[in-house]
Amino acid sequence: MGDQDLPGVLVSGFKGPHGICEDHVRDLQKHFHLITMEEFLENKTQLAPKIRAVFVWGGRPAVDRELLRSLPSLRIVASAGAGLDHLDLALIASSGVKVASTPHAVSSPTADLGMALLLAAARRVVEGHQLAVSPDTEKFSINWMGQGVTGATLGIIGMGSIGYKIAQRARAFEMKILYHNRKRRKLEEEGAVGATYCARLDDLLQWSDFVMLAVSLTPQTQGLVGRRELSLMKPSATLINIGRGPLVDQDALVEALQTGVIKAAALDVTSPEPLPSSAGVRRLPQHLHGQGAWGPGAQIARMEAAQNRLFHVLRLPTGPSLLYGASKADFDHSSTDLHYFNHYILSWSFFFFEAKYLHILYL
């Protein structure tokens, strides 16, 4: 089967900051005819009917009304990542197109990064490095102190897959764990990580030494932490955001750091990204902004999970109008499960599976 006979998948490109990495391209090309945005824009008439899926990597390509109207054969938009805030779900659904994401593929590496930011902020790792390598440093002050982590209270806002994995890691540091979530976890899940549920967000903010945002961005959570919420936190507290930049009122955060309302902030995400050079938060020493590097395992998991979503829809004649990922029935994204699942659905016998197996594919 030649490339032209494979299902057409629109991608942003293969180079630049938003390009799909080379290893992923080779694997995807075994099963799909990859068409870059540049190629598509140069030859819409010929390529548009061939494109059955859009593969979104790093938020690109942007899926807007114009693109949807120009792709008559489009069946699925597959996004490699947990969040869907970069997609207009209502617009896509109105076009009869499915949406897929990979909600669990990056849970562990994101939780790792959250703990790395917490530790780096508490122990002032970046400041210490700058001090150590500065040509102006002649000696270290014995009173140059960080903040203790062991025994401290961590408040987690958003106790989904990522939030729960953060709690697992925090327990190893003997931290007291509070959490706030739309829905309370089961008692046995709370007990496994020693977590206490806070029905009121205000209580969590007032009692925590570290507050970590691990919640999705929705219209309801945009600006979740603003001036009022920051004022409820301890003056010694640190805010860590690994969710989305707009969860936090950035101007209010700058003010809180400047006036000592809270002690520090560690941000994996900002609004916009990257921050402009004029952004006030960039000039604050008590602010740590870490652009975390994904490990190779995380990249592979993201790509394979998104690729699996493409297989599900492009090789099945029917399905729901929206596919947000296989959540509860999904595999746990360990390497073994992913490779097994990949082989499982790639076999030609996939076309003849009985209906009882389809629950593993959809919500």
Side-chain angles (χ1 to χ4, degrees):
M1 183 182 291
D3 286 353
Q4 301 299 320
D5 299 317
L6 296 172
V9 176
L10 182 66
V11 299
S12 57
F14 307 137
K15 298 179 180 179
H18 296 284
I20 304 172
C21 25
E22 187 177 342
D23 290 343
H24 300 350
V25 170
R26 285 197 295 266
D27 196 54
L28 286 165
Q29 285 177 332
K30 295 175 184 176
H31 315 289
F32 306 107
H33 174 207
L34 300 186
I35 299 167
T36 67
M37 275 298 293
E38 183 178 359
E39 292 170 334
F40 170 66
L41 293 174
E42 289 177 352
N43 194 0
K44 281 187 178 183
T45 304
Q46 183 180 351
L47 295 178
K50 299 180 179 181
I51 295 172
R52 300 176 67 194
V54 176
F55 185 72
V56 181
W57 182 265
R60 306 290 179 85
V63 181
D64 54 21
R65 190 179 303 276
E66 181 182 354
L67 182 65
L68 291 169
R69 285 176 173 172
S70 65
L71 300 176
S73 304
L74 185 64
R75 295 184 62 188
I76 178 174
V77 174
S79 180
L84 290 168
D85 51 276
H86 57 289
L87 297 174
D88 187 334
L89 299 179
L91 174 64
I92 297 172
S94 69
S95 301
V97 176
K98 300 173 181 67
V99 173
S101 67
T102 58
H104 304 297
V106 295
S107 296
S108 289
T110 304
D112 291 345
L113 180 59
M115 287 305 298
L117 288 171
L118 186 155
L119 292 167
R123 307 308 304 195
R124 300 171 69 182
V125 171
V126 175
E127 289 178 80
H129 169 74
Q130 292 171 342
L131 186 65
V133 300
S134 172
D136 300 324
T137 301
E138 296 181 356
K139 55 185 177 182
F140 300 113
S141 170
I142 195 171
N143 296 318
W144 198 79
M145 304 291 287
Q147 185 176 1
V149 172
T150 301
T153 299
L154 169 63
I156 302 171
I157 303 175
M159 197 64 146
S161 176
I162 293 171
Y164 195 77
K165 287 181 179 293
I166 291 164
Q168 291 174 325
R169 287 151 177 75
R171 194 179 190 195
F173 286 88
E174 302 173 21
M175 301 186 80
K176 301 180 184 72
I177 301 166
L178 307 176
Y179 79 95
H180 176 75
N181 202 46
R182 284 182 305 174
K183 184 178 179 181
R184 183 171 181 173
R185 283 268 184 173
K186 296 177 181 177
L187 291 177
E188 54 267 33
E189 293 174 332
E190 291 180 350
V193 294
T196 299
Y197 178 64
C198 290
R200 297 176 67 246
L201 176 60
D202 288 4
D203 292 337
L204 180 146
L205 295 171
Q206 290 172 328
W207 298 337
S208 299
D209 299 303
F210 300 89
V211 174
M212 189 172 304
L213 285 161
V215 68
S216 300
L217 179 63
T218 67
Q220 291 72 37
T221 60
Q222 185 162 352
L224 181 65
V225 175
R227 188 170 283 103
R228 190 189 78 85
E229 289 74 24
L230 291 164
S231 70
L232 294 174
M233 293 171 63
K234 298 178 181 180
S236 58
T238 296
L239 177 70
I240 303 113
N241 187 5
I242 59 169
R244 289 289 189 268
L247 294 172
V248 178
D249 181 335
Q250 212 155 264
D251 292 336
L253 177 60
V254 171
E255 181 183 314
L257 292 169
Q258 289 175 330
T259 58
V261 171
I262 65 171
K263 183 177 182 179
L267 310 175
D268 173 47
V269 287
T270 59
S271 182
E273 292 180 342
L275 284 171
S277 58
S278 59
V281 70
R282 292 186 64 162
R283 298 188 292 274
L284 298 174
Q286 64 272 53
H287 152 256
L288 169 63
H289 183 195
Q291 175 58 51
W294 295 110
Q299 290 280 42
I300 292 170
R302 288 174 78 197
M303 187 276 293
E304 288 189 344
Q307 178 176 287
N308 288 343
R309 302 297 193 266
L310 293 175
F311 289 141
H312 296 169
V313 176
L314 296 185
R315 292 177 182 268
L316 280 175
T318 60
S321 60
L322 280 177
L323 166 64
Y324 289 107
S327 66
K328 294 180 182 178
D330 206 353
F331 290 95
D332 67 2
H333 293 282
S334 67
S335 178
T336 302
D337 285 336
L338 275 170
H339 285 296
Y340 171 76
F341 192 38
N342 219 11
H343 174 74
Y344 190 63
I345 61 176
L346 273 172
S347 64
W348 285 105
S349 60
F350 179 72
F351 289 102
F352 306 104
F353 281 173
E354 295 181 34
K356 66 182 180 181
Y357 292 108
L358 298 186
H359 75 278
I360 70 171
L361 304 180
Y362 302 103
L363 279 173

